[in-house]
């Protein structure tokens, strides 16, 4: 059984990637890292790691959706998307070394970013069961 999903224009898909990447850049380099959520103390994974996991998973998923038209084997496509998202995370981490209120380059953050980006594997596992159709196919 194929599940239909709307496929937006390439321009709109890439705009989504840029918005998410911009939000990560802004949150990582331009804002003070403490927030109200910092009072939350999860038992297993610290809240700052949760932020990394979610942000880079969302970035990788948006990249996978934006590049769905690439004619590549599924697992090669997944590795490229994970590599792009993780590479972006490493660049952000390197940039934080030059921001006074941020810590220096942390390899642990790069690893957490990569683990978060790897969440896109769920998309590639589900992809054979999804049919992407133009948005106009969903309109009356």
């Amino acid at each position: 059984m194929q599940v239909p999903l709307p496929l937006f224009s390439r321009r709109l898909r890439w705009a989504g990637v840029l918005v998410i990447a911009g939000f990560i850049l802004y949150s990582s380099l331009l804002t003070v890292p403490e927030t109200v959520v910092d009072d939350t103390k999860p038992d297993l994974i610290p809240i700052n790691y949760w932020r990394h996991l979610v942000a880079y998973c969302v970035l990788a998923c948006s990249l996978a959706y934006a590049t769905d038209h690439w004619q590549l084997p599924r697992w090669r496509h997944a590795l490229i998307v994970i590599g792009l998202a993780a590479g972006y995370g490493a660049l952000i981490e390197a940039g934080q070394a030059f921001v006074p209120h941020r810590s220096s380059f942390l390899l642990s953050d790069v690893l957490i970013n990569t683990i978060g980006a790897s969440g896109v594997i769920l998309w590639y596992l589900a992809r054979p069961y999804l049919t992407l159709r133009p948005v106009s196919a969903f309109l009356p």
Side-chain angles (χ1 to χ4, degrees), residues 56 59 63 79-94 105 110 113-114 117:
Y56 286 92
L59 177 63
L63 275 168
L79 290 175
I80 290 170
V81 165
I82 292 168
L84 287 170
Y88 183 72
L91 287 173
I92 294 287
E93 199 59 35
F105 184 89
V110 174
N113 296 345
T114 305

Side-chain angles (χ1 to χ4, degrees), residues 3-103:
V3 177
L5 289 178
L7 180 65
F8 292 96
S9 69
R10 286 185 190 172
R11 184 173 288 163
L12 194 55
R13 288 182 279 163
W14 280 105
V17 171
L18 292 176
V19 166
I20 293 165
F23 177 77
I24 292 171
L25 179 74
Y26 175 78
S27 300
S28 300
L29 296 179
L30 302 175
T31 62
V32 177
E34 283 114 23
T35 65
V36 174
V37 182
D38 287 339
D39 293 337
T40 306
K41 303 287 185 209
D43 291 334
L44 187 59
I45 300 173
I47 192 72
N48 64 318
Y49 286 166
W50 275 114
R51 287 189 196 118
H52 286 262
L53 290 169
V54 171
Y56 286 92
C57 183
V58 171
L59 177 63
C61 288
S62 68
L63 275 168
Y65 182 68
T67 60
D68 192 76
H69 62 282
W70 290 359
Q71 299 298 314
L72 294 171
R74 199 166 25 138
W75 295 108
R76 183 177 298 165
H77 192 190
L79 290 175
I80 290 170
V81 165
I82 292 168
L84 287 170
Y88 183 72
L91 287 173
I92 294 287
E93 199 59 35
Q96 285 181 351
F98 302 101
V99 178
H101 62 274
R102 293 288 182 163
S103 59

